[in-house]
Amino acid sequence: MARFTLPRDLYHGKGVMKQVLSGLKGKKAIIVTGGSSMRKGGFLDKAEQALKKAKMEVYILEGVEPDPSVTTVMKGAQIMQEFQPDWIIAIGGGSPIDAAKAMWAFYEYPDVTFESLCIPFNFPELRKKAHFVAIPSTSGTATEVTAFSVITDYEKGIKYPLADFNITPDIGIIDYELVESLPPKQVAYTGLDALTHAIEAYVSTAACNFTDGLALHAIKLIFQNLKKSYDGDMKARAVMHDAQCLAGMAFSNALLGIVHSMAHKSGAVFKQDGQTVHIVHGCANAMYLPKVIQYNAKNLRAKKRYAEIAALIGIRGGTQANKVEKLIDAINKLRESVNVPSCIKDYDDGHGGKVSEEEFLSKLEKMADDAIGDACTGSNPRIPTHDEMVELYKACYYGTDVDF
């Protein structure tokens, strides 16, 4: 039985956050957020004041790290169990929203295990204690409308995608003010993440009539607006905030593919001088997507769908294979236009951290196994063997073509 699930309400526009939060009904609200950007931008204070206007007691839980950890989730759940909120308000990038979704489960079911939540669509029924509002400050993850959360186990160096319709937020707030000050690099990474979401959703084996239109329109908007948004065009940035949400609606219901499987299992596994070299999720997706398209296009249905995407963005004439090649070229040109590297070998984490060839090869076999077992692999058009996944990762490291 197929299912299509979205938040009950989506509010979108400039400055809508205060209006929505001030109209909520309840006694207590906890705000979950990340580092300092929401406080510095004044958005945390605006959210708190709006909730107080709604006559709620407010607790602010700050400091969720990028790539939130199991430890952070459990600490947050403990705070929720003590505070007993009616509403969980997650504001910021994908990390605090993802963390808050997992905290929500442990708040309502303190005895549930993380291992059981890692089984796709195995969450207990939520909303016994609280409802959930998500307010994104980046234009990429679309976690405000999805049934997904990604949590990292740093001891194992693995990102776990949690999947269950129970963690689809009750309310999503798409407020354009929150993305106006995004740094260009973040605009690039999150925008290419959204493009990957839409393309993977369209070729997914779980795609359907309800998701196809959302995915295709998101792809069109992203190709038209990402570079403009990167260059500081605020109208284009508002459109990108909508586009990433549309992509999220598509992939939350159509699911994803092995671009995400590979990104999940390589994002936090490498180290340099004892420190984790994080491959930013959106950047990983941008580097891996062209290689995966080459691999998936051996599947006739996927080839046809990639050719349809190519036609949508203005690629005319030639065979389906020609259109797929030109689609890959268009994706690479868009990636280059926003200064995102093409392969892991050329990646720098912004702090001088790079992935050496020796380190990459030492982790390769396990990464391949872990990626095949990732929750996103099952809906990919082709299911790779271990050896194929190894070769895919190599192509993504060295920047070579895929032809198998």
Side-chain angles (χ1 to χ4, degrees):
M1 179 176 68
R3 178 174 175 176
F4 185 85
T5 299
L6 295 175
R8 186 191 182 286
D9 292 299
L10 278 171
Y11 297 91
H12 54 97
K14 186 170 181 176
V16 298
M17 179 182 71
K18 287 174 61 178
Q19 185 178 352
V20 176
L21 295 185
S22 63
L24 297 181
K25 307 295 183 185
K27 295 180 179 179
K28 293 183 177 183
I30 187 167
I31 300 175
V32 180
T33 191
S36 59
S37 62
M38 289 298 94
R39 184 170 289 284
K40 286 179 179 177
F43 300 113
L44 195 56
D45 183 61
K46 287 180 182 179
E48 181 181 13
Q49 294 308 312
L51 290 165
K52 287 183 176 179
K53 186 177 179 180
K55 305 284 194 263
M56 282 196 239
E57 182 182 348
V58 181
Y59 186 104
I60 299 177
L61 196 169
E62 296 183 76
V64 174
E65 73 273 45
D67 299 320
S69 65
V70 177
T71 301
T72 294
V73 166
M74 301 310 293
K75 286 180 179 177
Q78 181 61 42
I79 290 169
M80 290 182 183
Q81 287 159 18
E82 294 169 1
F83 184 64
Q84 292 288 305
D86 309 298
W87 287 95
I88 299 168
I89 316 293
I91 179 171
S95 295
I97 299 175
D98 279 6
K101 285 180 175 181
M103 292 173 189
W104 186 18
F106 288 107
Y107 164 45
E108 298 212 1
Y109 294 91
D111 296 328
V112 75
T113 65
F114 184 72
E115 290 73 21
S116 70
L117 298 185
C118 288
I119 301 170
F121 302 97
N122 192 50
F123 273 62
E125 185 178 349
L126 299 178
R127 296 169 178 81
K128 303 292 186 182
K129 294 183 179 180
H131 287 79
F132 195 99
V133 180
I135 312 167
S137 66
T138 62
S139 300
T141 67
T143 189
E144 73 276 4
V145 293
T146 73
F148 298 96
S149 166
V150 180
I151 306 299
T152 302
D153 185 329
Y154 283 97
E155 290 185 8
K156 296 179 180 177
I158 294 176
K159 292 184 179 183
Y160 290 99
L162 310 181
D164 196 284
F165 289 116
N166 269 288
I167 56 173
T168 305
D170 297 284
I171 297 173
I173 300 177
I174 314 301
D175 190 329
Y176 307 143
E177 282 188 349
L178 272 71
V179 295
E180 288 184 342
S181 60
L182 278 178
K185 183 176 285 189
Q186 203 166 9
V187 170
Y189 288 164
T190 55
L192 290 167
D193 187 20
L195 179 64
T196 307
H197 290 156
I199 291 176
E200 288 213 292
Y202 192 66
V203 302
S204 163
T205 58
C208 67
N209 290 331
F210 295 95
T211 60
D212 283 351
L214 293 164
L216 289 174
H217 194 52
I219 291 166
K220 182 179 179 180
L221 292 178
I222 293 166
F223 268 99
Q224 292 173 341
N225 290 278
L226 177 54
K227 180 61 165 66
K228 293 178 187 176
S229 177
Y230 179 80
D231 290 338
D233 182 328
M234 289 303 145
K235 287 184 179 179
R237 193 160 298 181
V239 174
M240 280 299 302
H241 211 32
D242 286 346
Q244 64 86 33
C245 187
L246 294 170
M249 294 183 204
F251 89 77
S252 184
N253 292 279
L255 307 180
L256 292 164
I258 60 172
V259 176
H260 275 77
S261 302
M262 295 170 70
H264 291 152
K265 305 316 179 192
S266 59
V269 73
F270 301 113
K271 293 188 181 295
Q272 179 179 282
D273 300 327
Q275 299 297 315
T276 300
V277 179
H278 289 274
I279 301 181
V280 178
H281 180 69
C283 184
N285 283 342
M287 294 188 293
Y288 303 171
L289 178 60
K291 311 305 179 187
V292 169
I293 291 176
Q294 288 179 323
Y295 174 77
N296 282 344
K298 300 292 184 181
N299 174 281
L300 294 179
R301 174 184 172 277
K303 182 193 288 186
K304 178 177 180 291
R305 292 209 144 212
Y306 288 133
E308 289 168 355
I309 293 170
L312 176 77
I313 63 171
I315 296 169
R316 300 284 183 263
T319 64
Q320 286 184 353
N322 292 147
K323 287 179 180 176
V324 174
E325 289 177 11
K326 290 179 180 179
L327 172 63
I328 292 170
D329 288 342
I331 292 168
N332 281 328
K333 286 177 182 175
L334 182 61
R335 174 187 52 73
E336 290 169 4
S337 76
V338 293
N339 296 305
V340 172
S342 63
C343 58
I344 301 171
K345 178 169 62 69
D346 295 337
Y347 176 78
D348 185 312
D349 69 358
H351 306 285
K354 296 181 74 69
V355 180
S356 70
E357 183 176 35
E358 180 183 9
E359 169 81 349
F360 171 76
L361 293 174
S362 73
K363 301 290 176 64
L364 179 56
E365 296 288 332
K366 187 174 189 305
M367 280 194 312
D369 281 339
D370 290 340
I372 289 170
D374 188 90
C376 294
T377 298
S379 47
N380 195 66
R382 289 180 71 188
I383 304 300
T385 64
H386 171 83
D387 289 345
E388 287 174 336
M389 186 61 82
V390 165
E391 293 304 314
L392 275 168
Y393 267 126
K394 284 183 178 179
C396 293
Y397 184 83
Y398 297 109
T400 53
D401 285 338
V402 172
D403 187 23
F404 54 85

